[in-house]
């Protein structure tokens, strides 16, 4: 998922209240339906094997995984140069497989198996060709989640693989830092994302705490300030699902009121600078993600967008099934629909919804999108079996057709 970027300090609270205003429920708005842009689908090929899949992109690079010649059971991470159209095998950390999960500038992050079977996160420098393994806190495994600038976040196992603790990793120096939290050796913490090369947001838990099941948090790496967001929701549990700029979103489980059973989960948004926390309602409770001042969440049918400035809620998607949101950046979101899957790009500011073409077959899924509306994922090649609509799946790059 892409995680990217109010004014004089005196106006921060007022602007944040406008963005995340508390009050009555949201008004339901009907999104406009402009003509959709046309997209071109590019088959990125493979590393010699049969299958490949794209997971993330920036302006210069697409990353993902692909099988290699003679081995369709294990995949290697790849980086595809959008200018030269060359796909490079990034190798592994000694084991049989690896996956590249995100890219920002010169750094690619992902996970790889080791020769002994454990898994580690890795950071690959596209300029130097060097790959660093992300360590652990005494256990066997580590995992990467997100990157902002040179800051990589994820989680790593503690001794005996008893728990996982969140970390921040400096891609320039290879320094790994356990994030501040009250978890202690018996607790768990994970990092859902990072923004502005500074903030980390995620979920922590500790046996016996009042809201056992998860607490949302934000950690400021510069000031070493750690904020427990569960103090705002008066609920049973909460978790972070996305962070962009100074906005964190996630879900929380309200406390039962005694009149009925367990109430439905609800979405929330939190402004880091002002400390304003907002209840976004039950419509925003499934995997909410944030881009700019807009929160998106899957529902049935379709999906919802919530404008944090106006507190309006709008439905989007083709229906009648779910519209999954897999990546956001700037004014764009991308994902796939069910029934399907059919890849799409959605323009948040205009409401334009575009189903993306496959590369010969029928089905496809988009994993990520950039600020210019280009998307990456995988789609089916032309079928070789006349009884099937699809051939094998290849990593696919979709770009807006100009002219």
């Amino acid at each position: 998922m892409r995680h990217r970027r109010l004014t004089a300090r005196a106006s921060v609270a007022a602007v944040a209240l406008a963005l995340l205003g508390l009050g009555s429920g949201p008004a339901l708005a009907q999104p406009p339906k402009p003509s959709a842009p046309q997209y071109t689908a590019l088959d990125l090929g493979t590393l010699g094997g049969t299958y490949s899949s794209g997971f993330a992109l920036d302006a210069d690079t697409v990353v993902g995984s692909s099988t290699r010649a003679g081995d369709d059971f294990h995949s290697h991470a790849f980086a595809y140069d959008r200018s030269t159209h060359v796909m490079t095998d990034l190798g592994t950390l000694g084991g049989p497989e690896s996956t590249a999960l995100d890219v920002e500038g010169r750094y690619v992050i992902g996970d790889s198996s080791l020769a002994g079977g454990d898994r580690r996160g890795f950071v690959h420098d596209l300029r130097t060709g060097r790959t660093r393994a992300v360590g652990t806190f005494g256990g066997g495994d580590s995992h990467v989640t997100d990157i902002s600038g040179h800051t990589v976040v994820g989680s790593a196992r503690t001794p005996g693989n008893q728990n996982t603790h969140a970390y921040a990793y400096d891609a320039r120096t290879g320094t790994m830092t356990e994030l501040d939290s009250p978890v202690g050796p018996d607790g768990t913490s994970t990092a859902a994302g990072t923004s502005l090369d500074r903030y980390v947001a995620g979920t922590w838990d500790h046996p016996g705490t009042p809201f056992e099941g998860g607490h949302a948090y934000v950690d400021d790496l510069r000031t070493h300030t750690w904020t427990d967001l569960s103090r705002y929701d008066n609920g049973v549990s909460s978790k972070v699902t996305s962070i962009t700029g100074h906005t964190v979103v996630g879900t929380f489980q309200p406390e039962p009121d005694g009149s009925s059973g367990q109430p439905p989960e609800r979405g929330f948004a939190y402004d880091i600078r002002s400390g304003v926390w907002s209840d976004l309602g039950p419509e925003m409770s499934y995997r909410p993600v944030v881009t700019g001042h807009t929160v998106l969440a899957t529902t049935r049918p379709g999906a919802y967008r919530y404008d944090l400035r106006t507190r309006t809620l709008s439905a989007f998607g083709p229906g009648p099934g779910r519209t999954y949101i897999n990546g956001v950046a700037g004014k764009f979101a991308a994902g796939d629909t069910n029934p399907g899957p059919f890849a799409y790009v959605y323009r948040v500011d205009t409401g334009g919804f575009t189903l993306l073409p496959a590369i010969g077959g029928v089905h496809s899924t988009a994993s990520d999108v950039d600020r210019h509306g280009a998307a990456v994922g995988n789609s089916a090649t032309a079928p070789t079996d006349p009884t099937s609509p699809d051939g094998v799946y290849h990593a696919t790059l979709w770009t807006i057709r100009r002219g």
Side-chain angles (χ1 to χ4, degrees):
M1 193 181 299
R2 201 79 9 224
H3 300 284
R4 310 295 188 197
R5 322 299 149 223
L6 242 116
T7 52
R9 196 163 178 80
S11 66
V12 167
V15 176
L17 284 169
L19 289 173
L20 301 175
L22 297 171
S24 59
L28 187 63
Q30 293 299 320
K33 299 185 183 301
S35 59
Q38 297 297 308
Y39 275 79
T40 298
L42 176 64
D43 184 344
L44 301 189
T46 74
L47 292 172
T50 304
Y51 312 98
S52 63
S53 185
F55 294 136
L57 81 167
D58 65 9
D60 302 310
T61 309
V62 174
V63 299
S65 66
S66 170
T67 58
R68 300 185 303 153
D71 184 2
D72 276 335
F73 294 98
H74 302 100
S75 295
H76 277 202
F78 72 75
Y80 177 93
D81 190 306
R82 292 178 62 177
S83 297
T84 64
H85 307 292
V86 173
M87 179 183 284
T88 301
D89 187 342
L90 301 186
T92 75
L93 296 175
E97 56 189 12
S98 61
T99 301
L101 299 173
D102 206 351
V103 58
E104 183 158 318
R106 65 190 290 180
Y107 299 115
V108 178
I109 64 171
D111 290 336
S112 172
S113 59
L114 303 179
D118 290 331
R119 298 191 67 85
R120 297 286 171 87
F122 70 82
V123 179
H124 179 85
D125 189 326
L126 292 170
R127 294 186 191 172
T128 65
R130 181 180 181 183
T131 300
R132 293 178 186 259
V134 177
T136 73
F137 297 121
D141 299 329
S142 63
H143 171 67
V144 296
T145 304
D146 195 19
I147 180 171
S148 171
H150 56 79
T151 301
V152 178
V153 298
S155 58
R157 290 285 193 175
T158 59
N161 292 331
Q162 293 298 307
N163 295 299
T164 61
H165 286 183
Y167 67 79
Y169 179 91
D170 191 318
R172 301 167 305 178
T173 64
T175 302
M176 181 178 182
T177 304
E178 185 173 4
L179 296 184
D180 295 331
S181 76
V183 293
D186 296 327
T188 63
S189 62
T190 58
T194 179
S195 70
L196 302 178
D197 221 354
R198 174 176 181 176
Y199 300 108
V200 182
T203 305
W204 74 277
D205 192 20
H206 193 285
T209 54
F211 302 143
E212 186 172 351
H215 313 247
Y217 75 84
V218 176
D219 197 335
D220 187 331
L221 299 176
R222 293 186 193 168
T223 64
H224 305 289
T225 302
W226 189 89
T227 304
D228 185 356
L229 302 187
S230 64
R231 68 185 185 183
Y232 293 96
D233 58 50
N234 192 31
V236 176
S237 62
S238 60
K239 65 180 179 182
V240 169
T241 54
S242 178
I243 177 174
T244 295
H246 295 93
T247 305
V248 179
V249 299
T251 62
F252 72 100
Q253 176 66 62
E255 189 81 44
D257 60 12
S259 62
S260 60
Q262 189 86 315
E265 283 193 323
R266 304 173 72 89
F268 76 82
Y270 174 78
D271 187 285
I272 295 171
R273 293 185 296 183
S274 67
V276 174
W277 186 94
S278 295
D279 182 344
L280 303 183
E283 297 87 355
M284 308 303 294
S285 64
Y286 186 74
R287 293 169 54 186
V289 295
V290 58
T291 178
H293 55 75
T294 303
V295 184
L296 306 172
T298 297
T299 184
R300 184 188 295 274
Y304 279 117
R305 64 181 294 272
Y306 186 104
D307 191 314
L308 293 169
R309 300 173 304 177
T310 63
R311 293 185 291 115
T312 54
L313 188 69
S314 303
F316 73 92
R322 290 187 183 271
T323 299
Y324 292 100
I325 304 145
N326 298 330
V328 294
K331 298 176 181 179
F332 295 94
D336 53 79
T337 65
N338 180 19
F342 302 110
Y344 74 85
V345 169
Y346 172 67
R347 180 146 180 169
V348 172
D349 57 338
T350 66
F353 189 93
T354 306
L355 289 173
L356 302 175
I359 49 175
V362 173
H363 296 104
S364 58
T365 180
S367 303
D368 197 16
V369 67
D370 70 14
R371 289 181 172 273
H372 302 289
V376 68
N378 60 19
S379 65
T381 59
T384 56
D385 181 349
T387 65
S388 171
D390 296 326
V392 298
Y393 279 73
H394 281 185
T396 305
L397 174 66
W398 290 277
T399 54
I400 296 175
R401 190 180 303 150
R402 306 296 179 184

